[in-house]
Amino acid sequence: MILNSKFSQSYLFFLCAVLFFSCSDSKKPDVSNIKLDIKIERFDKDLYQGKAKSIELTDSLLHQKYGAFYEDFIFKMVGNDSYTSQEVLQGLYNDKAYTDLNHEVDSVFPNLTQVENELTQSFKYIKYYYPKVQIPRFIGFLSGFSYQTPIGDNYVGIGLDMFLGKDSKFYGALVNSIPLYLSRKFTPAYIVPRVSEYYIRENLFKERDEDRSLLAKMIYNGKILYFMDQIMPDNMPDSVKIGYTDKQLDWCKAFEAEIWGFYLESNLLYETDYPKIQVYLSEGPFTPGLGENRQSPPKLGVWTGWQIVRKYMEENPEVTLQQLMADTDTQKLLTKSKYKPKLMR
């Protein structure tokens, strides 16, 4: 791993995925007149190029250019406040693993033009629905597999070393800390939806503390995914949006009625004991208690919430996207959705 083991590391993972933007027919609004041109600043390149300068000069230049991001990078992402910024930089530059990883990132991402274009389109839709939203700085970096999409003071970080491709030699070497069910989604195609979704969760629609029941959490996550429906390409498969394999999505469709029946029979919808309900919301290789031979996808509560919200919007076409996202009455949404999946067999 990058740097001395004394430097704290944490792993942040969020659902979502993407295909490339399409020019096909769309029911989405016309956003061509919205003026926005997102550029991703390459902190990773500036940091590596600083290796040829004095530590003092590099530290000063990076601090001036990147401000809050640089502080977070030094003292939260790859180091901590037990070290000075110059000590952290020296630790990076002395570490061969950092050099190797930097070369790999540079080979996979010689430029980020396509990602910038896709982010611009995604955030144009966000601006269409919420014109007053502030577009942050987007900063590409690498942190030794610690952070993927950190959000800070007016910035969104893009941990490029967490998008190298599922077959990257680095992920295979880290399988004990980054299991394969996660690293299979660490590809360049996932950058735009993951960045967009995390920004939406953190900056537009934070989860309310009072929403403690499984139903409330299902609906919240379902609304986030429905919002993603509106800002991602029309040709993006549902399996990619939620981070499932095609086989996992087919399983959900085949057993949708049984999944819903399980929640009802187990009296789970209004359960607020988080240890009991988190297994239906969290990432993992499967959802415990559902399906045979561990064939069920993870976070089935999130998937079910998505279907409820979609059904609600289908049944209530007069409801706008903004009204949906502002509505906190989860019981009303469930009732008016008329969600009652039928057995496939």
Side-chain angles (χ1 to χ4, degrees):
M1 297 296 288
I2 299 299
L3 287 186
N4 188 293
S5 61
K6 292 181 180 179
F7 291 114
S8 63
Q9 307 257 0
S10 63
Y11 292 85
L12 304 180
F13 303 104
F14 299 88
L15 59 87
C16 210
V18 75
L19 293 179
F20 298 130
F21 283 90
S22 167
C23 295
S24 60
D25 293 338
S26 174
K27 295 181 181 179
K28 290 185 171 66
D30 181 7
V31 295
S32 59
N33 290 329
I34 295 178
K35 297 186 183 303
L36 184 64
D37 186 18
I38 287 175
K39 298 298 181 185
I40 300 171
E41 301 174 63
R42 293 298 297 265
F43 175 83
D44 59 310
K45 290 181 178 291
D46 288 343
L47 176 63
Y48 189 74
Q49 289 169 2
K51 188 176 182 180
K53 303 181 179 71
S54 72
I55 291 294
E56 294 80 4
L57 179 58
T58 296
D59 182 38
S60 176
L61 292 175
L62 291 176
H63 194 279
Q64 290 176 28
K65 183 173 181 178
Y66 292 99
F69 173 82
Y70 182 61
E71 291 286 325
D72 289 345
F73 176 82
I74 290 293
F75 298 118
K76 295 179 182 178
M77 298 182 198
V78 299
N80 57 53
D81 57 13
S82 297
Y83 300 85
T84 68
S85 55
Q86 293 179 21
E87 287 174 333
V88 175
L89 288 178
Q90 192 65 63
L92 278 172
Y93 293 149
N94 289 342
D95 194 332
K96 184 179 183 298
Y98 163 73
T99 300
D100 292 344
L101 181 56
N102 191 87
H103 289 165
E104 180 73 7
V105 168
D106 203 44
S107 68
V108 176
F109 300 107
N111 66 73
L112 292 170
T113 302
Q114 184 167 317
V115 176
E116 291 170 338
N117 292 338
E118 295 171 1
L119 273 177
T120 296
Q121 187 71 6
S122 175
F123 275 78
K124 277 187 175 183
Y125 286 120
I126 293 175
K127 288 284 285 184
Y128 174 86
Y129 291 110
Y130 296 91
K132 295 182 180 180
V133 73
Q134 296 297 310
I135 304 300
R137 297 172 72 180
F138 293 87
I139 301 173
F141 73 105
L142 61 90
S143 66
F145 314 104
S146 298
Y147 289 82
Q148 191 172 54
T149 52
I151 289 181
D153 184 9
N154 194 39
Y155 75 76
V156 175
I158 303 174
L160 297 173
D161 51 334
M162 303 284 277
F163 294 103
L164 295 174
K166 64 183 180 64
D167 296 323
S168 169
K169 62 182 180 181
F170 291 98
Y171 303 147
L174 295 169
V175 68
N176 289 331
S177 54
I178 305 179
L180 293 178
Y181 67 81
L182 289 173
S183 64
R184 72 172 180 81
K185 294 178 282 188
F186 289 178
T187 70
Y190 279 62
I191 294 177
V192 173
R194 178 145 301 178
V195 168
S196 301
E197 187 243 356
Y198 192 21
Y199 173 84
I200 290 165
R201 287 181 180 272
E202 293 297 309
N203 288 59
L204 297 182
F205 313 113
K206 278 188 174 289
E207 187 173 14
R208 304 189 313 158
D209 292 338
E210 56 266 44
D211 289 340
R212 302 179 65 183
S213 70
L214 177 60
L215 176 62
K217 293 182 179 299
M218 289 166 64
I219 296 296
Y220 169 75
N221 285 284
K223 290 198 296 185
I224 295 296
L225 277 168
Y226 185 83
F227 192 90
M228 295 293 290
D229 286 338
Q230 312 313 308
I231 68 168
M232 291 287 107
D234 290 329
N235 66 346
M236 180 188 295
D238 286 353
S239 59
V240 178
K241 290 177 185 174
I242 196 169
Y244 285 171
T245 64
D246 289 340
K247 185 176 181 181
Q248 287 175 326
L249 183 64
D250 289 342
W251 190 97
C252 288
K253 293 177 179 178
F255 292 98
E256 184 174 6
E258 287 89 343
I259 296 168
W260 184 241
F262 174 81
Y263 298 139
L264 298 179
E265 293 168 9
S266 303
N267 296 314
L268 284 170
L269 289 186
Y270 306 102
E271 178 63 65
T272 59
D273 185 354
Y274 190 71
K276 289 184 179 180
I277 65 177
Q278 62 88 21
V279 296
Y280 309 107
L281 304 166
S282 302
E283 268 290 7
F286 60 94
T287 297
L290 282 162
E292 298 178 352
N293 301 320
R294 299 185 172 185
Q295 293 180 338
S296 63
K299 56 180 185 276
L300 281 175
V302 173
W303 184 82
T304 303
W306 192 14
Q307 309 318 305
I308 294 171
V309 172
R310 282 178 163 177
K311 189 69 163 55
Y312 171 78
M313 294 301 281
E314 178 185 325
E315 293 288 334
N316 302 274
E318 75 284 357
V319 176
T320 67
L321 180 62
Q322 294 91 330
Q323 289 171 333
L324 168 70
M325 301 309 292
D327 196 338
T328 59
D329 191 340
T330 55
Q331 183 61 55
K332 183 195 77 176
L333 263 64
L334 174 60
T335 301
K336 295 188 71 173
S337 74
K338 302 178 183 177
Y339 181 73
K340 191 176 181 181
K342 296 179 181 179
L343 288 169
M344 298 287 287
R345 297 174 298 282

